Amino acid sequence: MNGTIAWDDFQREMIETAHGPLLVRSAGAGRPLLMLHGFPQTGHTFRLTAPALTDQYRVIVPDLPGYGASPGPAAADNGAPFDRRCVAHSLAAMMTALGHERFLLVGHDRGARAAYRLALDFPEKVAGLVSIDTVPTVAVWEAMTYRSANHAFHWPLLAQPAPLVEAILRQASDDLIGHLLERWAGTPLTEDATRRYLEAYRQPSVQAGAAADYRAGAGLDLEVDRADRAANRKLACPLLVPYGTGYTTTDPEPDWRIFADDIRTIPIDCGHFVQEEAPEALIPVLRTFLQSV
């Protein structure tokens, strides 16, 4: 589309945050749009969707703390400060420093968990939220059965105390990350993308960051979600949930009723990595929603 900017032409810079330097890619003009990747990926996952939006939006795509080229700080035993609240607050401050007091927000997987936390804690900042193939953390843990634990075994595995997880990743990151990428994708990711993600997880900083993220998810994030549910805190902005029917087999709308009243769910025929597997289906869905909020 005319006016869009190619992924390779996005500006790349290291921006200092409360979580240390983050690699941030940005391009385009218009309303600010923050896009947050998940595990086991980097901001590169948005290479097929972000450029298409640069004709109408100032698109900002970081590598989250502890992922990709963003090394992240040292973590406590409970995963702090990689809990989604701390990460969300750091990202909110980053957006303010970039001159964006109110913005649109898209997240996938772990990035979507930081995104809904940001929207809950800073309702004045988020005009609209897109959570790609993700439900609240509390919904995942409380619904976990032996079947779902087998499907999502990485949740309890990566949450184990240090140094077990780091040792596993140090010895077998290609095996574990490669397995998850293959298992969750409805169609295989490109060889180049797979190579990039595997290379990222060979870094000690990324091994430590992913472990801290999941440890926080099993404790700190769960506690915060439960407290907000008890207080009946809800998102102030509309929520869109596109989901890959090859990965999320039931409509996620009931799970989101914990935190949202204005919910739209959109099934897409693909696996978990919607933004990479089905960008041609996702982009018009994003455009329609983002223009409406």
Side-chain angles (χ1 to χ4, degrees):
M1 185 175 294
N2 291 337
T4 60
I5 299 172
W7 181 246
D8 288 344
D9 293 328
F10 273 52
Q11 177 184 354
R12 286 163 169 76
E13 58 184 323
M14 299 301 294
I15 295 180
E16 285 295 333
T17 72
H19 282 77
L22 302 188
L23 172 64
V24 178
R25 310 160 185 84
S26 57
R31 297 175 71 191
L33 168 60
L34 178 62
M35 305 184 79
L36 305 176
H37 70 87
F39 172 89
Q41 298 162 298
T42 69
H44 187 73
T45 191
F46 290 116
R47 70 196 178 281
L48 303 176
T49 51
L53 302 171
T54 55
D55 61 334
Q56 291 183 301
Y57 303 96
R58 178 64 178 174
V59 182
I60 300 158
V61 186
D63 281 357
L64 291 174
Y67 287 86
S70 301
D77 290 344
N78 64 358
F82 288 87
D83 56 288
R84 300 298 85 183
R85 169 161 278 168
C86 281
V87 170
H89 287 215
S90 186
L91 292 169
M94 180 193 78
M95 291 297 283
T96 296
L98 291 174
H100 307 307
E101 291 292 350
R102 187 165 172 84
F103 48 90
L104 300 159
L105 190 50
V106 173
H108 174 250
D109 195 84
R110 305 306 296 181
R113 301 183 192 287
Y116 81 75
R117 176 50 49 198
L118 197 163
L120 282 169
D121 287 3
F122 298 96
E124 74 283 0
K125 289 187 175 294
V126 181
L129 172 63
V130 180
S131 178
I132 301 174
D133 209 40
T134 307
V135 298
T137 299
V138 63
V140 176
W141 280 117
E142 292 187 350
M144 194 168 286
T145 64
Y146 78 93
R147 291 188 186 277
S148 60
N150 184 56
H151 176 69
F153 71 92
H154 64 293
W155 279 65
L157 172 63
L158 295 176
Q160 295 305 305
L164 175 63
V165 179
E166 291 85 345
I168 292 172
L169 289 172
R170 185 167 59 249
Q171 295 297 321
S173 66
D174 278 19
D175 294 321
L176 178 58
I177 302 305
H179 170 78
L180 295 176
L181 290 170
E182 181 179 357
R183 179 172 178 161
W184 297 344
T187 55
L189 303 185
T190 67
E191 290 185 7
D192 178 69
T194 299
R195 175 186 58 78
R196 288 171 183 264
Y197 303 144
L198 293 179
E199 286 178 350
Y201 280 87
R202 294 170 193 155
Q203 301 176 73
S205 63
V206 176
Q207 295 164 5
D213 186 353
Y214 277 88
R215 285 175 191 134
L220 296 172
D221 295 344
L222 181 59
E223 293 166 7
V224 170
D225 274 11
R226 284 175 169 164
D228 279 353
R229 181 178 60 186
N232 198 34
R233 290 186 70 199
K234 297 292 182 81
L235 293 166
C237 65
L239 169 67
L240 173 69
V241 187
Y243 64 99
T245 55
Y247 182 83
T248 301
T249 56
T250 59
D251 191 328
E253 189 268 350
D255 286 331
W256 276 109
R257 286 289 168 194
I258 298 169
F259 294 132
D261 293 322
D262 186 350
I263 313 169
R264 308 169 213 182
T265 60
I266 302 288
I268 296 178
D269 183 17
C270 65
H272 182 49
F273 308 114
V274 182
Q275 64 279 2
E276 294 194 53
E277 297 181 55
E280 69 288 342
L282 180 62
I283 289 167
V285 167
L286 291 178
R287 280 191 176 278
T288 299
F289 176 75
L290 295 174
Q291 291 169 359
S292 73
V293 297

